[in-house]
Amino acid sequence: MSIERRVALIALILSALILWAALAPLNRSVYLFPIFWASFMVVLSIVLLWRTFPANRHSDSERPGAGTLPMSQAILRLAPAIGVFVSYLFLMANLGFYVSAWLAFVALACWYGPRPVRFAGLLTHGAIGAVFATTLYLLFSYLLAVQPLGGWLF
């Protein structure tokens, strides 16, 4: 069994468990948002699994190993993102959800964005991150009526 098929099966199992957990409560109307995203994850993992079969490949660029990095280089490219996500989890307890989300957005945009990062680019990333955090605030506060974790700042 290929590594792609294993990843697809693990994604399908995890997303099915999340969907099952979202469907478990008796009052399902409260959990429509998690049910929607869990169902979406199940569909995407089924598509991912479907694409691992050789009959479903449509071009030479989709063959296994085409355009992929060796595992060591892939890990090195993902390490900063994992560091940002872990920092985000620790900062959220003190700074709050929105400020931590803004900082994580800016950090990821600066790290994976165009190089070198100049002051104008940093301001642009900060402004786009502020729009992102404001959108999260409006989504959670007004549309979903959910109160995320608060912190010292917000």
Side-chain angles (χ1 to χ4, degrees):
M1 186 182 309
S2 68
I3 188 71
E4 292 90 2
R5 193 164 299 152
R6 288 182 195 159
V7 168
L9 284 172
I10 290 171
L12 180 60
I13 291 169
L14 288 176
S15 60
L17 284 173
I18 292 170
L19 179 61
W20 175 76
L23 291 172
L26 295 177
N27 188 4
R28 291 187 184 143
S29 63
V30 177
Y31 298 99
L32 287 179
F33 188 70
I35 290 170
F36 168 75
W37 284 111
S39 302
F40 187 63
M41 288 171 38
V42 167
V43 169
L44 289 180
S45 60
I46 289 171
V47 169
L48 185 64
L49 181 62
W50 180 74
R51 290 180 50 90
T52 63
F53 292 99
N56 300 324
R57 298 192 190 279
H58 300 293
S59 69
D60 289 340
S61 65
E62 294 182 10
R63 68 179 188 275
T68 59
L69 293 172
M71 186 62 75
S72 60
Q73 287 182 354
I75 290 173
L76 286 176
R77 289 181 84 181
L78 286 175
I82 294 170
V84 167
F85 294 142
V86 170
S87 301
Y88 167 76
L89 291 175
F90 285 113
L91 288 174
M92 191 173 14
N94 294 327
L95 297 180
F97 175 75
Y98 302 112
V99 175
S100 299
W102 176 75
L103 286 173
F105 185 94
V106 172
L108 289 173
C110 288
W111 186 264
Y112 291 110
R115 297 289 180 157
V117 178
R118 295 192 170 90
F119 184 71
L122 186 62
L123 288 177
T124 303
H125 294 318
I128 294 171
V131 170
F132 173 72
T134 304
T135 304
L136 286 177
Y137 173 76
L138 294 173
L139 176 74
F140 285 125
S141 296
Y142 295 106
L143 187 63
L144 299 174
V146 174
Q147 182 63 37
L149 185 62
W152 292 339
L153 297 177
F154 191 11

